[in-house]
Amino acid sequence: MTDQAPVTYTGPSRVLSGVQPSGALHLGNYLGALVKFTRLQHEIDTFIFVADLHAITVWQDPAALAQQTREIAAAYIASGLDPDKATIFPQSAVREHAELSWIFNCVARLGWLDRMTQFKEKSGKHKERSSVGLYTYPVLQAADILVYKATHVPVGEDQKQHLELTRDIAQKFNHDFNAPGFFPLPDPLIQGPGARVMSLRDGSAKMSKSDPSDYSRINLTDDADAIAAKIKKARTDPEPLPETIEELAARAEADNLVGIFAALSGKTKAEVLADYAGKGFGTFKPALAELAVEKLAPVGEKMRGLLGDPAVLDAILAKGAEKAREAAAPTLAEVKKLVGFWGA
């Protein structure tokens, strides 16, 4: 008797990702995620959601949450996502996410979640005060992905561990319920250039919407004057730009600004240095500010226009939710049958 190779998933390719509606999006989100989503929609069946179920793992103002959801949707569309190509929807509007998450809670092992480093980082010394949702949200992430049988997921360094958990859950479900190849083992799509944009005030810290200084980030809703002012005030060092990537890597703030220029222009860092090596920030910053205004100001303008007409955004989200449910419902129905639920 010969060993048989494991059965692999043979369904269609599909990509899924989402962003939490827990604050204004910024340049790091734009370069690290939104422009990638825009490209992917032309290459693969694309599902992009607003992760409002994930957002409430920490307290969110109920009076603001729906508007924050619209803001993320506006950012998606203003950045180039086409609702006729990509499925854009609020996570909470597709109940299959939560239903599959509970089933996966019964498949995943406690030891797997104990190894998740993000919970330790987010809960800090007060994990007993953290919500159970904050602890188990990687299981919901697995459900987000697998309810659509997504085969590819854009990830940064901080999410690789969660995607491994998704693969473990998929593999264990397929094994436990004798359903070889039922769920795919999704592959990561590494974000590439621009995936990690650092603070404009501290090159060792990631750009964050939670930073108390608004000058640490460029918000997608900033106008041209604000964008230029923030680039002008970005922290640097007194030395001119170097000639090599190796020299640049030792200078965190300079490396960050060169990386932003590269990502916005579609060039490599080496190509940017070829143009600006030996020049000071008095020359480089105005060039970067001009480029950033050119690329980002239209995004902010379109976002403000969309947010001025919430009925249009709501119609897009409702249509996307309907399409997402059409894709998710058959998967959940099959899962219920495999699990053995009555009536399935």
Side-chain angles (χ1 to χ4, degrees):
M1 185 176 181
T2 58
D3 291 336
Q4 292 184 332
V7 176
T8 56
Y9 178 74
T10 57
S13 295
R14 184 173 281 165
V15 68
L16 177 130
S17 193
V19 174
Q20 290 190 32
S22 53
L25 295 188
H26 52 68
L27 175 65
N29 303 122
Y30 177 76
L31 293 177
L34 303 188
V35 294
K36 269 73 174 187
F37 298 165
T38 299
R39 185 189 72 244
L40 287 167
Q41 70 182 334
H42 301 293
E43 301 171 358
I44 187 172
D45 192 18
T46 300
F47 284 70
I48 304 295
F49 64 97
V50 182
D52 50 355
L53 291 178
H54 287 294
I56 64 167
T57 57
V58 296
W59 175 253
Q60 301 295 329
D61 180 359
L65 187 56
Q67 181 61 17
Q68 289 169 190
T69 297
R70 293 186 186 99
E71 288 176 8
I72 301 299
Y76 287 160
I77 296 163
S79 299
L81 275 175
D82 181 349
D84 292 328
K85 290 185 179 294
T87 303
I88 303 169
F89 63 100
Q91 181 188 24
S92 63
V94 183
R95 66 187 184 190
E96 286 80 2
H97 287 245
E99 287 193 60
L100 185 59
S101 179
W102 174 252
I103 295 170
F104 282 173
N105 271 325
C106 300
V107 173
R109 304 292 92 176
L110 195 61
W112 299 356
L113 289 178
D114 282 342
R115 291 194 292 271
M116 295 293 108
T117 57
Q118 277 212 4
F119 175 75
K120 298 171 187 175
E121 292 169 1
K122 291 183 178 182
S123 60
K125 297 178 180 179
H126 306 291
K127 69 176 183 179
E128 292 82 4
R129 300 179 190 174
S130 299
S131 72
V132 174
L134 187 63
Y135 181 73
T136 63
Y137 87 90
V139 179
L140 176 58
Q141 279 191 326
D144 297 333
I145 296 164
L146 294 174
V147 77
Y148 302 102
K149 296 191 174 181
T151 53
H152 297 83
V153 181
V155 293
E157 288 294 328
D158 57 347
Q159 291 295 321
K160 284 183 178 179
Q161 190 182 37
H162 289 175
L163 188 60
E164 285 301 319
L165 178 71
T166 298
R167 291 169 60 91
D168 288 342
I169 290 173
Q171 197 162 31
K172 192 171 192 306
F173 182 95
N174 292 352
H175 175 270
D176 289 356
F177 293 100
N178 194 28
F182 178 75
F183 281 123
L185 306 186
D187 291 319
L189 288 175
I190 305 303
Q191 299 282 24
R196 190 170 179 83
V197 178
M198 311 307 283
S199 165
L200 298 179
R201 308 302 294 166
D202 179 0
S204 66
K206 193 173 181 180
M207 187 175 285
S208 171
K209 53 194 172 188
S210 62
D211 192 306
S213 172
D214 194 53
Y215 277 88
S216 69
R217 60 189 170 270
I218 295 174
N219 302 305
L220 291 189
T221 50
D222 285 343
D223 61 20
D225 289 343
I227 294 168
K230 289 179 179 182
I231 295 292
K232 181 180 179 181
K233 293 187 177 183
R235 183 177 176 182
T236 54
D237 56 51
E239 300 299 320
L241 286 172
E243 295 184 356
T244 67
I245 296 294
E246 292 73 22
E247 292 173 284
L248 183 67
R251 297 166 56 187
E253 282 78 22
D255 186 38
N256 187 40
L257 294 184
V258 170
I260 291 170
F261 195 110
L264 287 173
S265 64
K267 296 181 178 180
T268 65
K269 288 184 182 180
E271 289 171 331
V272 176
L273 290 182
D275 292 333
Y276 290 96
K279 296 178 181 177
F281 287 99
T283 298
F284 183 72
K285 277 187 175 181
L288 176 56
E290 183 179 354
L291 176 62
V293 167
E294 176 191 341
K295 296 292 185 180
L296 297 175
V299 175
E301 184 178 354
K302 188 168 184 179
M303 276 189 70
R304 290 188 290 273
L306 287 165
L307 291 168
D309 193 351
V312 171
L313 283 172
D314 288 347
I316 289 170
L317 289 170
K319 183 179 178 181
E322 182 180 357
K323 185 177 176 183
R325 285 193 296 267
E326 288 173 359
T331 301
L332 186 65
E334 291 177 88
V335 166
K336 287 182 172 181
K337 188 174 182 179
L338 287 168
V339 172
F341 288 146
W342 176 88

